[in-house]
Amino acid sequence: QVQLVESGGGLVQAGGSLRLSCAASGRTFSYYVMGWFRQAPRKEREFVAAINWSGSSTSYADSAKGRFTISRDNAKNTVYLQMNSLKPEDTAVYYCAVDDSRLRGPLVTPERLRQYDYWGQGTQVTVSS
């Protein structure tokens, strides 16, 4: 059974940092695009960042550029999201996801939720002002 389990969320003051992790089990996702999304209360789920299978290519939402860094460790079947300079508007549930449609494929419209086939349960990030 495929599982994606996020961790690392919590409560942090504005300007602080958090590192989210997403560990996959049940199969390897080392050769596929992985992404992070978030959903704030009463808002739609939105793209945050994505990374290709090798880690050589990344994509970020404008809101994340310069503050967040996505990375992966294929040996651990894990993807990370380092979040710095956090703002209250970053408060949301953060989800990781996998797009397994293209083996060793490039990032192609990684912001599209529908491209992703597997999703984690999410981890809450709360940034206080």
Side-chain angles (χ1 to χ4, degrees):
Q1 183 180 359
V2 174
Q3 274 194 315
L4 298 176
V5 179
E6 301 95 337
S7 62
L11 174 64
V12 64
Q13 288 188 332
S17 299
L18 284 174
R19 188 193 194 205
L20 306 184
S21 299
C22 172
S25 62
R27 59 171 281 193
T28 181
F29 290 117
S30 300
Y31 302 113
Y32 299 101
V33 169
M34 298 187 76
W36 284 97
F37 291 76
R38 67 186 183 185
Q39 188 166 16
R42 299 174 298 282
K43 292 188 176 181
E44 293 185 352
R45 193 169 298 189
E46 64 178 11
F47 171 72
V48 177
I51 188 167
N52 75 332
W53 71 276
S54 66
S56 62
S57 180
T58 57
S59 177
Y60 296 93
D62 287 344
S63 60
K65 288 178 182 177
R67 299 188 301 127
F68 295 2
T69 303
I70 188 171
S71 62
R72 66 190 299 162
D73 184 339
N74 286 340
K76 296 181 179 180
N77 220 16
T78 299
V79 65
Y80 304 97
L81 185 68
Q82 177 68 43
M83 304 187 296
N84 299 328
S85 302
L86 283 162
K87 305 174 182 179
E89 50 264 43
D90 294 319
T91 295
V93 177
Y94 283 70
Y95 300 89
C96 70
V98 177
D99 171 9
D100 73 345
S101 62
R102 286 178 291 271
L103 181 67
R104 296 191 179 90
L107 292 177
V108 178
T109 57
E111 70 279 4
R112 292 185 180 178
L113 275 71
R114 294 179 181 178
Q115 289 191 178
Y116 293 84
D117 306 284
Y118 299 96
W119 291 82
Q121 293 300 307
T123 184
Q124 176 71 46
V125 171
T126 303
V127 184
S128 63
S129 57

